[in-house]
Amino acid sequence: MRKIVITGGAGFAGSHIVDEACQKYPDARVVVLDKMTYAGDVRNISHHVFSNRVQLLVGDVADLDLCRRVVKGACLVIHAAAESHVDNSFGNSLEFTRTNVLGTHALIEACRQERVPKVVHVSTDEVYGEVMSGAAAEDDVLRPTNPYSSSKAAAEMILRGYIQSYHEPIVIIRANNLYGIRQFPEKIIPRFICHLLTGRRLPLHGNGSNRRHYLSTRDFARAVLFVAEQGVVGETYNIGTTEEYTNLEMAELVCKHFGRSVDQLVDFVPDRPFNDARYSISWSKLQGMGWKPQHSLREDLGMLVDWYRDNLERYTELFGTPEVQAITQTLAMLATSGAAAELKVTT
Ligand SMILES: NC(=O)c1ccc[n+]([C@@H]2O[C@H](COP(=O)([O-])OP(=O)(O)OC[C@H]3O[C@@H](n4cnc5c(N)ncnc54)[C@H](O)[C@@H]3O)[C@@H](O)[C@H]2O)c1
């Protein structure tokens, strides 16, 4: 039986790769290696774990001995484990280097020692840094600008050394921002949705003009396995979409879905120490091989809101118990309806 290892598989993007792998390879054994940080949630993959399709191993990708045991006999390793939230990286940058750089190094060394025949490394469009016009292609210079993207670029440099020196069978992918269910509500879309579901205001960095592209995580997961099968060893592939919004446009989009006016709900908060104005990548290389995005955020937003409404209790540490959530929401509705206009709901 084929064994596929997915690191970070209990996180947001990783769990969608697990879904795709289980569907695409019904006969494979899928093993998830995940440290179960705040961003990992067993419920993201419990549907597979309970049906014995997926084995969840809790551990650190920076542990070489553990990685060797986990990847032994695997035909494919997909490396999605990471510290992923840029805001956190400004306060805790060493942890980002430990997991994203040392962790990637330990995992690839384990894959080398165990002769894993293919490794897909999940990277990000943020390694190119700010792209104000046009679109970055795979061969462009990497100019990361924050501790998160620097750690992702540094990981790629380690991998390049392994490709060159050891002919390690590595393929690297760099994706746009992702949207989908199960994303931890520290990221902009689920945060806005959860804030509106619980009657809170929307915090917006700076003046809200930073632009991002948003790719469906289902399209992303499909691309990851497409590249695993068809990607040329040593190559890098951008995975992108044309759907682009400023943060303020994103707030407007989500508010409109709730029938609310963005003007009444946005709080402009201090920006990050540095915040790339825009990322943009060209994914013509992947498109030329036959992949293209099939979903759009505009069409998927209703489904996303429904999912977060149904799963709000997952995030009680952020938004209070279901009872507190219900009270906060009622107070906010009263406040905006004018019935209790003096009420101010704070986060
Ligand atoms: N989310 C996006 O918009 C996006 C866009 C482009 C690329 N990426 C990349 O995709 C990958 C997954 O991102 P995500 O948004 O799903 O992140 P996430 O934070 O939701 O999940 C990360 C997962 O990795 C696990 N993890 C963290 N440290 C670990 C360690 N030391 N050992 C083992 N597991 C560990 C966490 O427990 C969690 O399950 C990352 O490599 C990220 O750089 C994400």
Side-chain angles (χ1 to χ4, degrees), residues 11-13 34-35 37 39-40 60-61 80 84 99 123 148 152 176 178:
F12 162 54
D34 198 298
K35 192 175 166 186
T37 69
D60 190 339
V61 284
S84 70
T99 284
S123 191
Y148 163 69
K152 296 295 289 186
N176 278 154
L178 305 174

Side-chain angles (χ1 to χ4, degrees), residues 7-15 17 32-41 44 57-63 79-85 95 98-100 103 121-126 148 152 173-179 182-184 186-187 213-215 217 220:
T7 72
F12 162 54
S15 68
I17 301 172
V32 167
L33 173 61
D34 198 298
K35 192 175 166 186
M36 304 307 286
T37 69
Y38 75 95
D41 192 324
N44 289 344
L57 301 176
V58 178
D60 190 339
V61 284
D63 180 339
H79 179 35
E83 286 292 340
S84 70
H85 189 39
E95 187 56 29
R98 210 192 71 80
T99 284
N100 298 356
H121 173 73
V122 178
S123 191
T124 166
D125 61 355
E126 300 196 25
Y148 163 69
K152 296 295 289 186
I173 54 158
R174 299 181 185 139
N176 278 154
N177 273 25
L178 305 174
Y179 74 83
R182 308 181 203 135
Q183 188 169 33
F184 194 72
E186 61 189 353
K187 310 274 168 57
H213 287 81
Y214 290 92
L215 173 70
T217 197
F220 164 79

Side-chain angles (χ1 to χ4, degrees), residues 276-295:
D276 291 310
R278 180 176 186 255
Y279 302 119
S280 180
I281 53 176
S282 156
W283 69 96
S284 54
K285 189 169 166 183
L286 202 54
Q287 197 162 18
M289 292 161 60
W291 176 91
K292 63 176 184 196
Q294 293 175 350
H295 300 280

Side-chain angles (χ1 to χ4, degrees), residues 299-315:
E299 285 169 13
D300 286 347
L301 188 58
M303 175 273 291
L304 272 187
V305 172
D306 288 348
W307 188 89
Y308 281 96
R309 183 181 287 113
D310 292 345
N311 290 277
L312 253 185
E313 88 284 355
R314 277 187 179 207
Y315 308 113

